[in-house]
Amino acid sequence: MPIYNAPLNDLGFVLHEVLKVQDSALPGYEDLTADFTSAVLEEAGKLARDVFAPLNEVGDRQGCVLENGVVRTPEGFKAAFDTLREGGWTGLDCDPDYGGQGMPHVLSTAVGELSVASNMAFNMYAGLTHGAYSAIHAHASDALKAKFLPKMVTCEWTGTMNLTEPHCGTDLGLLRTRAEPQDDGSYKITGQKIFISAGDHDMADNVIHLVLAKIPGGPEGVKGISLFIVPKIMVGDDGALGAANSLSVGKLEEKMGIHGNATCVMNYDGATGYLCGDAHKGLRAMFTMMNEARLGVGLQGLGQAVVAYQNAAAYAQDRLQGRAVTGAENPDGPADPLIVHPDIRRMLLDQKAFVEGARAFALWGATMLDDYKSTGSKDADGMLSLLIPVIKGYLTDKGFDSAVKAQQVFGGHGYIEEQGMSQFVRDARIAMIYEGANGIQALDLVGRKLASDGGKHAMAFFEMVKDFLKDNAADAELKEQFLDPLKAGSKDLQAAMMYFMQAGMKDPNAALAGSNDFMHMFGHVALGLMWARMAIAAKAALDAGTGDAAFYKAKLATGRYFMARILPETQLNLARIMSGAAPVMDLPAEAF
Ligand SMILES: Cc1cc2nc3c(=O)[nH]c(=O)nc-3n(C[C@H](O)[C@H](O)[C@H](O)COP(=O)(O)OP(=O)(O)OC[C@H]3O[C@@H](n4cnc5c(N)ncnc54)[C@H](O)[C@@H]3O)c2cc1C
């Protein structure tokens, strides 16, 4: 069975030595002492290792089954869900007014990594509930909040997000599900939604669906979309469960991965729903929780890369094949372990440099979410909104690549189901597609976010990098190994932005043809910044002689690898971007 160990030292390092959350003035951060976060993460790590991880392969093998209209989850899922609920984990960062613990997102994000790494499909049930909770919390009336939120915080009732229909995924303006107003203020919802994650299951008493639908007579396209709360079982004013609502699971989708999560076709046949937020403003309501949801999906890419890497690293130490080219390193054995071979080390270091950099990037993003939520800072919101398509798109693209590299370390044994590597690859794949396919993330970054507020947030990012480089220039070794490569990557990124501003004005295809490269380039530079910050923290610890010297030396070596071998990819990205629209657009559609 694959291993999973919660990376507690790495999380602690990022939280307390790099981001220094304990010194932050943000409300709620005063609780985040190293003792407190390590106690929480240790418990979360035990849950991940002992409860969730052993069910990962069970969920993959058994999958979900639709029986008499109800979805049955794999063996052990219900008991594990009870354990998750009983520990209070589902409400960690939720509003105390509704029974949550009110902890900062940076802590729930750290816990979230452990959950998705150990069992992504299982933890999606609580993840989707959290997304639905956030939308209701931000937009519903007080009466609806009081009715639904307390049970969703505890996951006694779980939640879903219903956007997709057979003929519309990305282009939600096409959606057809109708919402007819009723005399009592409710609506009758009719239509079909497909691919609905956690659409039904046997682990909770109720499922609260959030459904996008159009009220007849409203504006055309996306401007006419409203958001509705549609419970599976009706809830009385006293909170008691009543009759079943008029909705059903049409079928369960057969799919490539995340078999333990029920992906449902949902049929709404005049189901009772309640308007959440203003009529026709449903998409805007969804957008307000988009940053949080996309950060969560980015974390899925990271999580699968983490668990795949841990297994590949262990295998490379163990598996004996061939001899080191410089002479036997295991002379008493029949061969040397895989780890001696430079190409195996390349693959492992690509993974290690990605996961450690991406972890810092995701947690840094979570601090901006906390800043915005607790202080209303428009700058924090603007910067996070700029970075979110990068966190979602880059972390899931690279997370998948990383899982494939981990599989490659296993050779043929990686392709065989027994080792578990195939599941990590299959599970990681979906994160590149849902919650806005990665092509759409790149489009969002280049088409909207770069220019939002007059380009203020993009400029603020470059200023931050510039100030960082200036503030730390005194250390010659740091400058040569970390700061100069970061400066070069950041210059490439700025050159690409300038190109978009000039060429993109004349021909929008020139910008969109380079959008994927730009998203990846931004990811490289953001991780470069994270690695430079981690290098400073590691050097400080080594100079002070505190902690485990081997841990900090490994950080520096991994960071040097990132700077030398991964960050320079920005040059290739820039060259592709500067080639403009023609190489992509010249070929006529009929020639494909
Ligand atoms: C396992 C699974 C779980 C899911 N869970 C949910 C869920 O819980 N709730 C929910 O509502 N949906 C869910 N989805 C649906 C998912 O969000 C959509 O599949 C996704 O948004 C893409 O929509 P689509 O499949 O219709 O592809 P399309 O919209 O048809 O897109 C196809 C391709 O074209 C690209 N594309 C589309 N438009 C453009 C454009 N203008 N410019 C450039 N490229 C473009 C896309 O990036 C994509 O690569 C899930 C899907 C799966 C497979």
Side-chain angles (χ1 to χ4, degrees), residues 128 161-164 168-171 194-197 255 258 263 430 433-437 439-440 443:
L128 265 301
M161 309 295 278
N162 291 236
L163 289 77
T164 309
C168 92
T170 303
D171 189 355
I194 61 166
F195 301 164
I196 304 308
S197 298
K255 56 193 192 293
I258 54 165
T263 308
I430 186 58
I433 297 171
Y434 58 22
E435 198 52 53
I440 304 305
L443 199 74

Side-chain angles (χ1 to χ4, degrees), residues 76 208 492 547 554:
I208 311 303
D492 288 343

Side-chain angles (χ1 to χ4, degrees), residues 349-505:
L349 275 160
D350 276 353
Q351 296 165 57
K352 187 170 164 60
F354 166 69
V355 296
E356 294 178 18
R359 174 178 295 122
F361 188 27
L363 291 172
W364 182 45
T367 63
M368 292 175 212
L369 186 62
D370 282 326
D371 192 352
Y372 172 60
K373 286 211 162 178
S374 60
T375 70
S377 162
K378 291 249 180 308
D379 286 344
D381 187 43
M383 182 63 76
L384 179 63
S385 299
L386 172 72
L387 296 179
I388 276 297
V390 186
I391 293 180
K392 196 280 180 180
Y394 181 83
L395 263 57
T396 58
D397 275 0
K398 292 287 168 197
F400 175 75
D401 288 353
S402 200
V404 170
K405 280 184 182 134
Q407 186 183 35
Q408 188 73 10
V409 169
F410 277 72
H413 297 271
Y415 197 72
I416 301 300
E417 292 294 339
E418 193 185 341
Q419 296 286 348
M421 301 308 285
S422 156
Q423 185 188 352
F424 301 140
V425 170
R426 289 184 287 103
D427 286 0
R429 185 67 182 85
I430 186 58
M432 299 160 71
I433 297 171
Y434 58 22
E435 198 52 53
N438 283 357
I440 304 305
Q441 302 301 323
L443 199 74
D444 180 42
L445 176 66
V446 170
R448 285 184 56 229
K449 301 293 177 58
L450 267 188
S452 80
D453 294 331
K456 179 180 163 194
H457 308 295
M459 293 321 293
F461 179 84
F462 290 122
E463 279 302 307
M464 177 177 37
V465 174
K466 209 168 101 191
D467 290 347
F468 173 82
L469 293 171
K470 202 163 79 196
D471 292 349
N472 294 289
D475 182 332
E477 194 182 62
L478 184 82
K479 183 173 175 307
E480 188 196 329
Q481 295 174 346
F482 288 88
L483 303 188
D484 289 347
L486 174 60
K487 189 174 175 182
S490 179
K491 254 177 81 182
D492 288 343
L493 190 65
Q494 282 188 71
M497 193 174 84
M498 292 309 291
Y499 173 79
F500 288 154
M501 282 164 72
Q502 286 156 6
M505 286 288 198

Side-chain angles (χ1 to χ4, degrees), residues 231-442:
K232 173 183 169 183
I233 312 283
M234 298 301 292
V235 182
D237 288 339
D238 58 355
L241 294 180
N245 205 351
S246 304
L247 58 93
S248 56
V249 181
K251 78 170 201 189
L252 273 183
E253 303 291 358
E254 294 279 335
K255 56 193 192 293
M256 176 176 172
I258 54 165
H259 293 155
N261 195 271
T263 308
C264 302
V265 171
M266 298 299 306
N267 294 323
Y268 295 91
D269 303 307
T272 300
Y274 309 100
L275 187 63
C276 180
D278 295 332
H280 315 310
K281 299 275 166 59
L283 214 54
R284 196 181 298 171
M286 281 295 203
F287 267 106
T288 58
M289 35 109 10
M290 208 70 104
N291 282 347
E292 205 176 315
R294 291 184 170 170
L295 176 62
V297 176
L299 217 52
Q300 293 183 339
L302 166 63
Q304 293 311 292
V306 169
V307 67
Y309 165 69
Q310 288 186 1
N311 283 279
Y315 191 77
Q317 302 277 6
D318 211 43
R319 171 84 170 165
L320 304 181
Q321 286 299 293
R323 287 288 184 199
V325 71
T326 47
E329 294 202 11
N330 177 33
D332 298 334
D336 286 340
L338 288 176
I339 193 88
V340 303
H341 304 304
D343 194 55
I344 291 285
R345 298 175 70 91
R346 168 190 67 82
M347 290 190 282
L348 290 173
L349 275 160
D350 276 353
Q351 296 165 57
K352 187 170 164 60
F354 166 69
V355 296
E356 294 178 18
R359 174 178 295 122
F361 188 27
L363 291 172
W364 182 45
T367 63
M368 292 175 212
L369 186 62
D370 282 326
D371 192 352
Y372 172 60
K373 286 211 162 178
S374 60
T375 70
S377 162
K378 291 249 180 308
D379 286 344
D381 187 43
M383 182 63 76
L384 179 63
S385 299
L386 172 72
L387 296 179
I388 276 297
V390 186
I391 293 180
K392 196 280 180 180
Y394 181 83
L395 263 57
T396 58
D397 275 0
K398 292 287 168 197
F400 175 75
D401 288 353
S402 200
V404 170
K405 280 184 182 134
Q407 186 183 35
Q408 188 73 10
V409 169
F410 277 72
H413 297 271
Y415 197 72
I416 301 300
E417 292 294 339
E418 193 185 341
Q419 296 286 348
M421 301 308 285
S422 156
Q423 185 188 352
F424 301 140
V425 170
R426 289 184 287 103
D427 286 0
R429 185 67 182 85
I430 186 58
M432 299 160 71
I433 297 171
Y434 58 22
E435 198 52 53
N438 283 357
I440 304 305
Q441 302 301 323

Side-chain angles (χ1 to χ4, degrees), residues 124-125 128-129 132 152 157-161 197-198 206-209:
M124 282 174 66
Y125 292 96
L128 265 301
T129 309
M152 293 176 78
W157 301 348
T158 63
T160 68
M161 309 295 278
S197 298
N206 205 356
V207 181
I208 311 303
H209 301 283

